[in-house]
Amino acid sequence: MPRQLSLIDLTDYHGRKDEIAQQLLHAASDAGFFWITGHGISQEEIQQQSSNGDKFLGLSDAQKDFATFRPELFMGWRGLRDTQAAVGTSSWEQYLVAFNDSYMQGIWPLEQDLPGFKASALEFARKANAVALQILSCFEQALNLPEGYFQHHLEPEAEDNRTLFGWNYYPDPHKSKPRSDQLRLLPHADTDVITLLFQKPGEPGLEILPGKDAEQHAVNDPSGKDSYGLNGAWTGGIPQGKWTKMDPIPGAITVNIGNMLMRLSDNKLKSTYHRVRALEEGEVSGARRSMVLFVHGRGSAIMQGPQKAYPAQTVAEMIAMNGRGYEKVKADKEWQQLVMKAQPHDHGSEPPLIAVA
């Protein structure tokens, strides 16, 4: 039976908060992924910001080299050459920026090169972050946690805030003639608290596999498994099971739970594996673009819930572990061959049943 995924309307948020909170809790504790509408960010704003990102990603590699990726901060520009080194294929590039300028020295493009780029990106990121805080406030209420419990760990304007916003670009796979089982992004779970993904209608590929439904996690993964059993992109494993397509819905934001929120909620809210699949037969060839907000919070914040289900670890430590894992796999060609290939035991993928709340 197809997996059921929720489409949740945030319209009249304050008047319907009790109802919305229960809908979000169900979606987050079941699949860990859901769509939201009524979030207050217009399609025009989303399209404008996507175009803003295209200005940077459209520069030559030489023009983008100043922003080269910094693994210890997990921010900056990862070009096709860098992702080729990490996973063996040049299947995507990414540019991640931070709210806090103290981490962004030398990573922002100069104003004279891309006028208005920085101001536009930060304005949109703060608006998206406000939506994330609304969702987290609902989780506090539904889980009977003190008001502001999750927000206390975040503080968007704190000097050590590590929340990231950025743009992803997946080139047209048909131009490089990849194998039919070649993934465009490896299976992983996000390290952060919560992720907001802005997918473009008509550019499919996202698939999800809730951890509770996975048949295998990271036990036999050559890259190793992190000591707390949380499977991130570069410190985790190669999950197996039945994948579910989560294609873009016009006007909706795709939301998923990250490992940090799984910690803070003592496993009540589940992070979920996801990947970007290859184009299927009959699908229109083309590039895939998306924008993403990774809500991390303060670098010094301790990601441990009231019941201490996980050992204490700070946001900065978790991000640095992910960065070290990213550098480590560049030398692991065996892992690269495995992680970017759809395995025979994956059982394929299928569209979901969409439950409109």
Side-chain angles (χ1 to χ4, degrees), residues 80 191 218 338:
L80 297 177
T191 302
L338 290 171

Side-chain angles (χ1 to χ4, degrees), residues 303-314:
M303 296 291 104
Q304 185 181 52
Q307 298 174 19
K308 297 180 171 53
Y310 295 96
Q313 193 174 28
T314 67

